[in-house]
Amino acid sequence: MESDRKRHCWECLRRSLVCDFTRPACKRCIASGIACPGYEETQPPRLKWLQPGKVKSRKARRTRKLDEKVITTTENTIISFAKPHYELKTDVHTFFQASEYFNARIFPGILPILGLGSNSAVYQISPRMFQNGMTRPDYVRLGLVCASLSHRINQTREDPQSNSLATTFFHYRGLIIRSLNEDIGVDHKRMSNLVVAGILTLVIVDSQQGASSFWRYHLQGARRIIALRGGMRSFAKSTGAIPLLLLFVRIAVMGDTSSPASDLALAPAHLEELGFVIEHYGNRLFAFQGLPTSLFAETIKINHLRMRAAKHIPVGEEDLTYEAYEILNRIESFSPEQWTESKPSSKREEWMLLGKVHRAAVALYCIHSLQSVSVLPHIPLYREICGAHGRNLHNLLKQAMSSPSTKLFMLWPLIMLGVEAVKGGVAMRSFVQWQLPELSRGTGMLAPLTAKDVLKRFWDSGETDWDSCFDRPYAFMMEPAVEVSKLS
């Protein structure tokens, strides 16, 4: 009978190949990196990759016009982008729609980073990457869908249609969690690099949309897997793991700066491993997102000092204070001029600005956070030092926020200035209150708005201590996505 005959999948029929009839997806399609269209009676619509703006559907031309804009990359390659339709589809074509949206809306926003130098995390999604993405687990592939939805929501918050997009976002976030749970339940998958990438994707997704205040639990899951793999040294040896490791360290260390001293993610046992990461991978151009490696190392030491003071780990009080003095002296001695000598010569001015901004921001973090746990005293000298760094940082941020290539690294320094602004005056507060929403609008990320709410509550509370501002763990991240292109 006709119904008993084996039917070739539609892709094998199209390519005139012999199908192996495996259900639900034939192995020939999987081996070719193609999403098998299946064996249904009705032929499914077939997608053909076209450059954005080159869609040939007559119906699309009748119903709407696509605005185009042209962007010149650092290699002088001209790329033409089309602005996608307002609402992303929620059917089987979602990943395609999200890829098109990323290339047209998100990529142009992060493209200026390449003006500072080569960055493997900044790229367009090519047809080949799209095909490879279709073979990835849902928890990796749908991260791009959530990033695209979150970006659109955060750029159109006043539009009533953003509510329906938020519902769609949480739907796909749920699919990411379900897919992760499935692979974590499989022995040979639970400790893979892809699962670590999926967990970090969930951290970024939640940070971008404010979907969860429990980002720390996701981070603990990634840390546990890395520990089971033999620690950071062993994990770094696997293919494609170094970008994941650097992202994990950035999230953990910078997340601890905006967390209560009694509830930090990284314990003293991690100091040796963090030192290994800094020594071996800290020389990468964007290892710590524009924060100089030596200042990143001092930030780790400040976090450690805060934790020891808050948990009353046996040590002389004078010893803690002496360590704090030493840290502050090294921060003050940091030379942006010397640091920029290793940077691309054509962009030394921008790198110099990044160095000066972060020196002032880390100095403010050191004094304010260590005064909060009584390691540094509240004396006029430190108020004078903080006031000088605050005024300097205020002026530097005016420059940095006006430059497309540096403003994407300014969220944490803006937050540091916001804490200083509790004593720094109305002008400083107004500047921070204005710049954070502008940063959110420009990047399509929620983190700057969350930071604004936290700082506003702090300013209105009448409190001045660091831990009164960050009463629970916050992750203020501006990471667009997790780099998975080299994962096997």
Side-chain angles (χ1 to χ4, degrees):
M1 294 177 62
E2 183 69 21
S3 60
D4 296 330
R5 291 173 55 192
K6 289 187 175 180
R7 179 189 296 278
H8 291 266
C9 80
W10 285 102
E11 180 63 18
C12 288
L13 280 175
R14 184 184 73 80
R15 299 168 65 191
S16 299
L17 299 175
V18 177
C19 185
D20 62 16
F21 311 110
T22 304
R23 293 176 180 269
C26 84
K27 295 179 180 178
R28 186 181 290 275
C29 286
I30 295 174
S32 301
I34 297 172
C36 181
Y39 304 85
E40 299 297 329
E41 294 285 343
T42 305
Q43 181 176 0
R46 184 165 62 91
L47 292 176
K48 180 181 179 182
W49 183 279
L50 297 173
Q51 289 292 331
K54 303 299 183 182
V55 180
K56 297 181 179 180
S57 167
R58 293 190 177 187
K59 180 178 180 182
R61 284 205 304 267
R62 286 196 304 268
T63 57
R64 59 185 172 91
K65 294 181 180 180
L66 291 175
D67 298 329
E68 291 188 348
K69 57 181 176 179
V70 175
I71 292 178
T72 305
T73 68
T74 54
E75 292 80 13
N76 293 322
T77 303
I78 304 299
I79 307 171
S80 177
F81 291 103
K83 295 181 181 178
H85 191 261
Y86 174 83
E87 186 174 359
L88 297 176
K89 294 183 179 179
T90 57
D91 54 22
V92 294
H93 308 309
T94 301
F95 185 54
F96 178 84
Q97 292 285 318
S99 299
E100 185 183 47
Y101 186 94
F102 181 92
N103 284 347
R105 291 294 183 88
I106 299 177
F107 176 72
I110 60 177
L111 180 62
I113 294 176
L114 294 180
L116 295 173
S118 177
N119 189 329
S120 61
V122 179
Y123 53 82
Q124 275 189 288
I125 298 175
S126 66
R128 182 171 183 175
M129 292 173 65
F130 174 80
Q131 287 190 334
N132 289 339
M134 292 300 296
T135 67
R136 299 294 192 187
D138 282 353
Y139 52 78
V140 173
R141 181 164 42 87
L142 295 181
L144 179 66
V145 176
C146 285
S148 299
L149 286 164
S150 177
H151 185 275
R152 191 58 183 165
I153 292 167
N154 289 321
Q155 288 200 323
T156 59
R157 288 198 166 272
E158 303 303 321
D159 194 314
Q161 293 187 53
S162 66
N163 292 330
S164 62
L165 290 177
T167 301
T168 305
F169 168 87
F170 283 105
H171 167 72
Y172 284 109
R173 177 181 177 271
L175 293 181
I176 289 174
I177 294 173
R178 184 174 70 181
S179 176
L180 262 175
N181 283 334
E182 289 174 354
D183 273 14
I184 289 172
V186 179
D187 289 342
H188 70 278
K189 292 183 178 181
R190 66 167 57 103
M191 292 196 297
S192 69
N193 287 359
L194 277 174
V195 167
V196 174
I199 295 172
L200 295 179
T201 295
L202 188 58
V203 174
I204 290 175
V205 163
D206 283 358
S207 174
Q208 287 174 343
Q209 190 54 26
S212 171
S213 60
F214 302 109
W215 63 274
R216 180 71 66 74
Y217 298 118
H218 305 327
L219 200 66
Q220 288 174 354
R223 186 181 65 192
R224 181 70 183 276
I225 291 174
I226 292 173
L228 291 172
R229 291 270 297 272
M232 295 182 190
R233 290 174 180 269
S234 178
F235 181 75
K237 296 177 182 178
S238 57
T239 303
I242 294 174
L244 297 180
L245 184 59
L246 287 171
L247 175 59
F248 168 80
V249 169
R250 287 198 302 268
I251 294 173
V253 171
M254 302 314 291
D256 275 353
T257 66
S258 49
S259 298
S262 59
D263 188 15
L264 303 188
L266 295 176
H270 300 117
L271 285 179
E272 190 273 335
E273 287 192 313
L274 291 172
F276 163 79
V277 172
I278 289 173
E279 180 182 356
H280 288 81
Y281 311 115
N283 61 347
R284 298 191 172 201
L285 194 59
F286 292 96
F288 305 114
Q289 292 294 79
L291 178 59
T293 300
S294 61
L295 293 180
F296 187 81
E298 299 301 339
T299 302
I300 293 173
K301 294 182 176 70
I302 297 167
N303 290 345
H304 184 222
L305 209 53
R306 293 176 61 213
M307 186 208 65
R308 288 160 60 195
K311 294 190 175 181
H312 306 290
I313 295 177
V315 65
E317 184 177 337
E318 292 183 359
D319 292 337
L320 291 180
T321 302
Y322 178 76
E323 285 185 47
Y325 288 153
E326 291 292 300
I327 291 171
L328 186 57
N329 285 336
R330 289 193 296 269
I331 295 169
E332 298 284 4
S333 300
F334 169 77
S335 171
E337 292 80 9
Q338 185 176 352
W339 177 63
T340 56
E341 289 178 1
S342 63
K343 308 304 176 187
S345 57
S346 61
K347 292 293 180 181
R348 293 256 172 96
E349 187 177 341
E350 286 86 347
W351 284 107
M352 180 80 72
L353 180 59
L354 284 173
K356 290 179 178 179
V357 164
H358 284 104
R359 179 176 60 183
V362 175
L364 287 173
Y365 171 57
C366 179
I367 296 173
H368 281 298
S369 67
L370 293 180
Q371 283 182 330
S372 184
V373 289
S374 301
V375 171
L376 286 177
H378 291 271
I379 58 177
L381 172 63
Y382 287 124
R383 177 82 298 272
E384 183 179 341
I385 293 174
C386 284
H389 279 303
R391 291 187 295 273
N392 184 36
L393 182 58
H394 188 180
N395 291 326
L396 291 169
L397 282 171
K398 290 178 182 177
Q399 301 175 49
M401 291 301 294
S402 64
S403 170
S405 59
T406 58
K407 71 177 181 181
L408 296 175
F409 302 111
M410 292 299 109
L411 177 57
W412 190 77
L414 275 170
I415 295 171
M416 298 304 102
L417 184 64
V419 176
E420 168 61 19
V422 77
K423 296 181 178 179
V426 175
M428 196 176 288
R429 294 189 193 185
S430 299
F431 175 79
V432 173
Q433 277 190 299
W434 170 259
Q435 292 295 341
L436 287 173
E438 286 297 303
L439 191 58
S440 175
R441 191 175 299 109
T443 60
M445 296 184 184
L446 184 70
L449 292 181
T450 304
K452 178 190 172 185
D453 291 341
V454 170
L455 290 170
K456 182 66 164 59
R457 186 171 64 248
F458 176 55
W459 296 335
D460 294 342
S461 69
E463 301 287 344
T464 59
D465 284 344
W466 186 270
D467 284 354
S468 298
C469 181
F470 305 108
D471 54 345
R472 65 177 178 83
Y474 291 96
F476 300 112
M477 293 183 295
M478 298 288 285
E479 307 276 353
V482 178
E483 187 179 348
V484 296
S485 58
K486 296 181 181 179
L487 294 183
S488 56

